Amino acid sequence: MYTLLWHALPGRWPVKVLLLIIMAVAVFFLLMEVVFPWVSALMPYNDVAV
């Protein structure tokens, strides 16, 4: 999977590394801003029964 991604990116290896870093940061921010808050609303953290 990573080999396909590496070969799909344009440029020489420094450009590919920079693009991979940018893509990893974009995925991180997407998870933190969209996915994790949505999942957190579905979790039963506030349903505490003693």
Side-chain angles (χ1 to χ4, degrees):
M1 179 176 146
Y2 296 115
T3 304
L4 292 174
L5 181 62
W6 184 260
H7 290 294
L9 292 173
R12 300 180 62 93
W13 72 268
V15 175
K16 290 181 181 188
V17 169
L18 182 64
L19 288 173
L20 285 173
I21 292 171
I22 291 170
M23 288 172 29
V25 168
V27 167
F28 173 77
F29 280 115
L30 177 72
L31 287 172
M32 292 305 249
E33 294 294 324
V34 177
V35 177
F36 292 153
W38 173 72
V39 171
S40 178
L42 300 175
M43 291 294 170
Y45 297 129
N46 295 330
D47 297 338
V48 179
V50 177

